Amino acid sequence: MENSKAIQVISKSFKNLAENNGFTNILQFFMQLLIIVLLFFIIYFLVHIGNQHIDSKKRINIGKRQIVYFILSFILIIAIVVIFQSGSLMYEILSPFLFAIVLAYTLNPLVSYIEKKGIKRFWSVFIVYFVIATIIFIFSITLVPKMTFEVKKLLEALPKLGNESYGYIYNKYIKYNNSIENLPEEFNAVKEALKFNGNRLEDFILKIISSVTNLTLKFLSKIANIVLTPILAFYFLKDADKFKNMLILSIPRFLRKGVIDVAKDIDEVLGGFIRGQLIVAGIVGLLTTISLLILKVDFAVLVGMIAGIADIIPYFGPIVGIIPALVFASLGGVNKVIWVVVAFIIIQQVESAIISPKIISDKVGIHPIIVILSLIIAGKFFGLFGLLIAVPIAGVIKVVGKHFINYIAKF
Amino acid sequence: MIKETDFIRLPILKEDHEPLSYEIKDIIYCFKDFRILGLYLQQINSIKYTKILPYTKIKNITEEGILIYSINDIVDVDEIAEIKDAINNKSVIGYEIYSNTGGIIGVVKDALLQIRSGKVLGFIMSEGLFDDLVNGYSFLPLVEGINFYEYKIMLNNEEQLKILPQQGGLKKMLGIDR
């Protein structure tokens, strides 16, 4: 009796283990490993057989050295795969460091500029931080109360806006369904397909609410990262040379020169783009806010900020930026809408004709078609974040590709 | 020959091999002619009381420790002017080695010293994590012309060629160094 119970427990444990994904993954991993080892043996024996039938000078030698290099490369690939497989966990751990690196990279030219004036690096970093803190402080005592007021007003206005939109959609829905009902019998199949499904709308709204809740929770959980990022960036900036040397020395010597050359080119493209684009976005945000304030559109500061951030995305950014402005302008009548459109067109023209060429000066140098393609691909895979990083990543790929082609062409 | 790091924590012994309550804390270099002036001592179980042992007063250096002739050879920092001036000279370990074009070549990991005279013979250097792992550390002999700046060593193209690979690391460990 005791034995049968024990067997039951063991068999249950095995069942659980087998049903568990982790177990399947481990099994799959070992199977793949076994296949690779078998493949290697097959290649080794094929080479061995082939060597017996060709001239000794033309033989492929697989010695101790080649085997060691193969195993080392294999371990490296496995390590990379494992890191990528645990991507989200790695991202959570490393994200404050990544953001700190990006922040330090953006502020580094400013710190270096102050350092060149004869001020020690520590104090240069301190000055930059102090200036940024002052700007944030001024921003928080002047603009934040206004923005808070605007957000409060927006939250108060939302139910009204919601009711109005609901009434509008409901009227359209009645009209739409009536029109479908009036279609001839031959279109029955089309009727079914076109019939508006109320449940689907409910699901859609619920999905939006749940994703907004999740987003808020995620945001709160990342407060610690937000605090940690500037602290880490401070150290990265202070010891920038040390970190740079450490990075350079971690590259194998035979690759070092090539990697440094590529990195220099990437720095030129990326650095110019990021810093330039941030300045341009700031100017566009400011101009939008001022114009909306003049036009007395509600939530001007909020919309200005959205327009500024959206401006980082080429081509699609201005469209994203104008939508909230039009929504709030529509509350003030058609005239206001027209003036907002005019203001946006003027700002966009000024941005694309004067500000961007002056500041960014075609640093990335990518054809507009490639820019649009990269935006579509990155947007599809990584959403809004993808749209923001699409152009600089395309620039990096272009630089790496150029060096790779040059390297291959030398042979 | 002895490495700088081999000195650290070595005990001080009397002529009859009886240990004294001192151990070596640091090395005091003379950067003018690249030799050791003295050893900075720390009293065991104390972090405050420190003394100096001039290098010329060393009788012998063994694995057991450093033999001295007399306890009186251990002096205070202020007693020898040359040592007093050099007391704040930093160890060469951690010096970065650059090419004349400004690119980093490596970092000094240790100094190789002649036991009898205390002269610096050269530096054991790391040329980067990957190369250390695969090839082991390299050796930079102290030859004329090497320029020393504040925590930096500058090498021209000719001097860079004098760096000797150590044939160590994984290559040696796995027997693929030849």
Side-chain angles (χ1 to χ4, degrees):
Chain A
M1 197 66 181
E2 284 291 312
N3 280 345
S4 68
K5 263 189 181 176
I7 290 164
Q8 265 181 8
V9 170
I10 292 167
S11 65
K12 212 174 176 182
S13 308
F14 269 108
K15 197 186 163 210
N16 284 340
L17 201 65
E19 279 171 0
N20 196 306
N21 273 341
F23 187 71
T24 323
N25 285 346
I26 292 167
L27 266 180
Q28 269 180 355
F29 175 76
F30 279 110
M31 283 301 285
Q32 283 160 358
L33 201 71
L34 194 71
I35 290 167
I36 291 167
V37 173
L38 278 172
L39 260 174
F40 180 73
F41 275 113
I42 290 166
I43 293 166
Y44 180 80
F45 283 112
L46 282 176
V47 169
H48 186 70
I49 293 162
N51 277 345
Q52 288 173 345
H53 300 283
I54 55 168
D55 187 52
S56 63
K57 282 179 187 170
K58 290 178 179 173
R59 282 176 189 166
I60 300 169
N61 292 315
I62 300 179
K64 213 174 179 183
R65 182 187 292 260
Q66 282 76 18
I67 293 169
V68 168
Y69 284 152
F70 173 80
I71 292 169
L72 285 178
S73 314
F74 186 67
I75 291 169
L76 186 73
I77 291 166
I78 296 272
I80 292 168
V81 169
V82 168
I83 288 169
F84 271 93
Q85 286 226 326
S86 56
S88 60
L89 182 70
M90 289 300 285
Y91 177 77
E92 261 182 46
I93 297 164
L94 295 176
S95 60
F97 291 88
L98 291 174
F99 290 127
I101 290 167
V102 173
L103 183 66
Y105 180 71
T106 316
L107 297 177
N108 189 48
L110 207 60
V111 174
S112 300
Y113 176 77
I114 299 169
E115 196 187 8
K116 274 178 194 163
K117 301 275 172 198
I119 297 166
K120 278 195 171 180
R121 191 150 180 104
F122 175 85
W123 291 110
S124 308
V125 180
F126 185 79
I127 290 167
V128 171
Y129 264 59
F130 182 75
V131 171
I132 293 170
T134 313
I135 292 168
I136 292 171
F137 178 71
I138 293 168
F139 181 79
S140 60
I141 57 166
T142 55
L143 289 177
V144 167
K146 190 167 170 52
M147 269 179 62
T148 320
F149 175 71
E150 284 186 354
V151 172
K152 199 181 153 199
K153 223 167 96 180
L154 178 67
L155 289 174
E156 282 167 5
L158 269 179
K160 196 187 153 206
L161 269 172
N163 284 338
E164 281 173 7
S165 316
Y166 179 76
Y168 177 79
I169 293 167
Y170 186 74
N171 285 338
K172 288 283 171 200
Y173 162 66
I174 298 288
K175 269 189 191 174
Y176 177 75
N177 268 1
N178 284 342
S179 313
I180 295 169
E181 289 303 327
N182 294 334
L183 281 172
E185 273 184 19
E186 289 81 4
F187 292 96
N188 270 350
V190 182
K191 264 188 210 174
E192 287 305 313
L194 287 175
K195 267 198 174 172
F196 194 79
N197 194 340
N199 289 339
R200 212 184 291 165
L201 180 71
E202 228 172 67
D203 286 348
F204 180 67
I205 291 166
L206 274 173
K207 263 184 193 170
I208 288 176
I209 292 167
S210 71
S211 59
V212 167
T213 320
N214 284 340
L215 214 70
T216 317
L217 284 172
K218 267 186 186 174
F219 176 75
L220 288 173
S221 71
K222 279 178 184 165
I223 290 282
N225 287 359
I226 293 165
V227 177
L228 205 61
T229 301
I231 297 169
L232 290 171
F234 185 88
Y235 288 107
F236 280 131
L237 276 168
K238 186 173 80 68
D239 299 323
D241 282 340
K242 268 188 199 170
F243 284 111
K244 199 174 125 191
N245 285 343
M246 213 167 79
L247 268 178
I248 292 172
L249 286 177
S250 63
I251 305 164
R253 203 171 39 198
F254 66 96
L255 282 174
R256 208 170 284 167
K257 198 187 167 296
V259 173
I260 291 170
D261 286 345
V262 176
K264 272 182 186 166
D265 280 1
I266 290 175
D267 176 54
E268 202 176 307
V269 169
L270 211 59
F273 179 79
I274 292 174
R275 285 164 212 133
Q277 202 67 4
L278 284 175
I279 296 168
V280 173
I283 296 172
V284 168
L286 194 71
L287 288 177
T288 310
T289 308
I290 293 168
S291 2
L292 295 181
L293 282 173
I294 294 167
L295 292 169
K296 288 186 180 159
V297 174
D298 287 340
F299 319 113
V301 180
L302 204 64
V303 177
M305 271 184 73
I306 295 169
I309 295 165
D311 193 71
I312 297 171
I313 308 162
Y315 305 112
F316 302 109
I319 301 165
V320 177
I322 199 170
I323 292 168
L326 288 179
V327 170
F328 298 123
S330 65
L331 300 172
V334 183
N335 271 354
K336 228 174 219 183
V337 174
I338 294 166
W339 279 113
V340 166
V341 172
V342 171
F344 261 80
I345 290 171
I346 294 169
I347 291 167
Q348 285 311 316
Q349 286 308 310
V350 171
E351 187 255 359
S352 58
I354 304 166
I355 308 169
S356 284
K358 282 257 181 209
I359 296 171
I360 301 175
S361 65
D362 296 329
K363 283 273 181 203
V364 186
I366 303 172
H367 196 275
I369 288 178
I370 307 293
V371 172
I372 294 169
L373 183 70
S374 59
L375 285 168
I376 291 168
I377 296 169
K380 181 84 184 163
F381 284 103
F382 306 107
L384 183 66
F385 180 68
L387 290 174
L388 292 171
I389 60 161
V391 180
I393 295 292
V396 170
I397 292 170
K398 189 195 165 190
V399 169
V400 175
K402 191 185 88 184
H403 279 271
F404 181 71
I405 290 164
N406 284 345
Y407 178 75
I408 297 289
K410 277 181 192 168
F411 287 97
Chain B
M1 281 185 296
I2 189 166
K3 286 190 279 183
E4 181 188 319
T5 47
D6 291 339
F7 271 112
I8 310 300
R9 299 246 163 241
L10 264 185
I12 306 293
L13 312 168
K14 278 204 285 191
E15 216 173 354
D16 55 358
H17 288 252
E18 191 196 326
L20 293 166
S21 60
Y22 292 105
E23 60 181 20
I24 296 167
K25 189 189 167 196
D26 216 340
I27 282 159
I28 306 159
Y29 279 106
C30 170
F31 281 143
K32 213 168 75 183
D33 49 1
F34 276 94
R35 63 186 169 88
I36 303 176
L37 284 176
L39 304 169
Y40 203 39
L41 308 183
Q42 186 172 42
Q43 201 161 34
I44 294 167
N45 300 328
S46 162
I47 51 163
K48 284 179 186 172
Y49 191 60
T50 47
K51 291 237 175 192
I52 301 291
L53 173 68
Y55 202 77
T56 48
K57 303 288 182 188
I58 292 171
K59 188 186 173 195
N60 199 7
I61 298 170
T62 65
E63 281 180 11
E64 235 183 304
I66 289 176
L67 256 70
I68 57 170
Y69 294 102
S70 150
I71 185 87
N72 297 329
D73 291 336
I74 296 172
V75 293
D76 281 318
V77 177
D78 299 339
E79 282 180 48
I80 301 167
E82 198 185 14
I83 289 179
K84 196 185 166 190
D85 292 340
I87 196 84
N88 289 325
N89 281 352
K90 289 255 177 188
S91 159
V92 280
I93 294 176
Y95 268 45
E96 282 168 347
I97 303 163
Y98 288 88
S99 69
N100 275 0
T101 52
I104 190 159
I105 298 170
V107 177
V108 174
K109 287 282 166 189
D110 215 336
L112 204 62
L113 311 154
Q114 196 173 47
I115 293 179
R116 191 177 293 272
S117 63
K119 272 195 86 69
V120 178
L121 298 171
F123 306 107
I124 292 165
M125 61 179 279
S126 152
E127 291 192 75
L129 179 73
F130 183 85
D131 292 284
D132 294 346
L133 270 171
V134 178
N135 304 314
Y137 288 143
S138 307
F139 181 68
L140 171 68
L142 184 72
V143 287
E144 270 185 40
I146 295 178
N147 290 312
F148 283 81
Y149 295 96
E150 204 182 351
Y151 313 128
K152 274 182 192 174
I153 295 172
M154 304 290 278
L155 302 178
N156 61 31
N157 289 346
E158 272 179 36
E159 285 148 12
Q160 281 177 50
L161 295 173
K162 286 172 187 159
I163 295 173
L164 303 169
Q166 289 296 291
Q167 301 290 337
L170 283 172
K171 269 189 177 173
K172 190 178 180 186
M173 198 188 280
L174 301 165
I176 53 166
D177 50 335
R178 277 177 293 277

